[in-house]
Amino acid sequence: MECQVLSEISWPLVLSTNYDTMFTDTYAENEKLHGNSIKVFGREPKDSHSLLASLNASTQTAYWALQGYFGNNYRNEELGGEIVVGYRQYRNATFNNMTFRSVFGEVFRNNSFLFLGTGFSEDYFRGLFGEVLEKFGSNPHSHCALFREQDFDSGLVDHHFLNTKLNIIAISYKDPNDDYSGLHTAIQQLRDAFRKERNNLWKLSFGSKNISQISDLKDKPSLEIIAGTLPHPKKSECVIISAGYDSEGVRLSHYGKRLILACLKEKYDSKKFISKKGLVSQYGDTVFYAAIARNIAPGKSSKVSRDLRKIAEAVEDVLRETNGKFEVISMMLLVVGSGCNFPPVFSLIQMIRGYKTFKKKTSMKSVLRIYAVPPSVINYIRTRPLEIEELLNCNDTRITIEIQDKDEIERYQLFIDSKKSLEEVSNFYSINSRFWNASIFPAPSMDFEQIQPNDKESLEALGVIPGSTIIYSRKRNRPSAKR
């Protein structure tokens, strides 16, 4: 039961000493609740490094199996060989793995942990925590741990030691039946606290401003990113709904149909959509528009035709059609939801890029408001506002290069003109297409064709955007022919 409740919360990182797949399976089942998929990592250096890279990307939930796992990691490699049983075996696996200890220290120091059911009496755990504190001093972030009230009263929990030696704040919960059933209630309260209304950063605003010489506060922002659902339009406002298509034309989700019905008080009729500029259609002569960020082609389903590259183009089309006609342009995230082949935060990135490209060509006379619902996107706008400033101000594209050579993985960060070709990038890293494969994460579409390191297409055409990763993996040696 505790696993079910915990899996209903959006976690950026989960560390587990369990071997089973119960949490990861349940978390995947609840993906619609929190909008996050989950990636499993082991203790080995390549997994530990990949874990840190995943945390920096902030697009999926990372699950770190500290004592092994009855399943596969994110590269589909079995982690059963990492399973350890007993104190001595785990101490050996931990203390002889310098990379794991260093990465654990980085994670421990830069995140706030919530410990559930962890045996702090075990020396190897306390040793890991103590090593970080001894090397780097007091943590900038406090950690918390849940214990029963009885354990405080009996002296099993020394909250003074935990606080002063390990930077862990001990929190008690009531367990009236003395059978740990109170833990379930405590976890439910935690989940409800996440869902409860509280003071949060819920909106970011951006506009042209010299922050070192602020003299006029009357300037209005032209871009706002808001955590929430699309509102009903007010006077001089329009609404842009993400849409697909079918044989009859524009296809809206139930949410889009309900919004139009609630505002117009009339039966929804898809035939009322009139094609406008590019990927935009207008619902009759109303303030409702549909943006179809799809690579529309005969015989292609609306789902398969979802294309990350089309999102920025759709935003530009929307602004060409509505800028200046309305004071506010309210727009939902484009091409997100179940079955999408890229994390929703990349949709936001592309929408920002579409706004930026339009603004370079035409002055903004309206305010573009982007409304975001997925927890991973909301977490992104709360924790990475400077990255959004970078998207708006930097003309180069910041990407990650990942080179997988057998058991070794090397990563590099690169700022590059997106007009450069993949071949130019490959040559810079001495990648020969005879020996290496290439791929892009996230793939821009479900039917994205295999790319080659020597492709002469531009990164932009291939769908490489800020935050993308170009992955090079060495080809397997061909088996020798039998004589």
Side-chain angles (χ1 to χ4, degrees), residues 107 297 376:
V107 174
S376 58

Side-chain angles (χ1 to χ4, degrees), residues 275-289:
S275 181
K276 294 290 183 179
K277 290 182 172 68
L279 300 171
V280 180
S281 296
Q282 184 179 9
Y283 191 73
D285 60 354
T286 71
V287 297
F288 290 94
Y289 294 81

Side-chain angles (χ1 to χ4, degrees), residues 55-180:
L55 292 179
N56 289 332
S58 187
T59 58
Q60 294 170 292
T61 295
Y63 182 92
W64 203 4
L66 301 180
Q67 291 189 339
Y69 181 73
F70 285 127
N72 296 348
N73 66 4
Y74 74 103
R75 289 193 305 276
N76 204 32
E77 298 174 343
E78 291 186 2
L79 293 180
E82 293 190 3
I83 291 176
V84 292
V85 180
Y87 164 75
R88 185 175 182 80
Q89 190 179 3
Y90 186 67
R91 184 182 65 178
N92 180 62
T94 301
F95 291 160
N96 290 330
N97 187 338
M98 294 299 296
T99 301
F100 167 75
R101 289 165 62 187
S102 298
V103 171
F104 183 89
E106 177 79 9
V107 174
F108 183 83
R109 181 168 172 78
N110 291 288
N111 296 272
S112 287
F113 287 177
L114 170 65
F115 293 99
L116 295 173
T118 302
F120 288 106
S121 60
E122 297 175 356
D123 288 342
Y124 59 77
F125 270 126
R126 295 196 297 182
L128 278 173
F129 306 153
E131 181 180 2
V132 178
L133 296 171
E134 186 66 27
K135 286 182 176 179
F136 301 108
S138 179
N139 265 24
H141 305 290
S142 295
H143 307 295
C144 297
L146 276 180
F147 298 99
R148 300 187 306 163
E149 286 184 346
Q150 294 94 315
D151 295 333
F152 283 84
D153 298 335
S154 64
L156 289 175
V157 175
D158 185 346
H159 66 87
H160 183 268
F161 172 83
L162 291 173
N163 182 245
T164 59
K165 305 303 182 186
L166 300 179
N167 199 43
I168 296 172
I169 298 172
I171 302 173
S172 65
Y173 66 88
K174 296 182 181 297
D175 189 34
N177 297 326
D178 200 22
D179 60 357
Y180 293 94

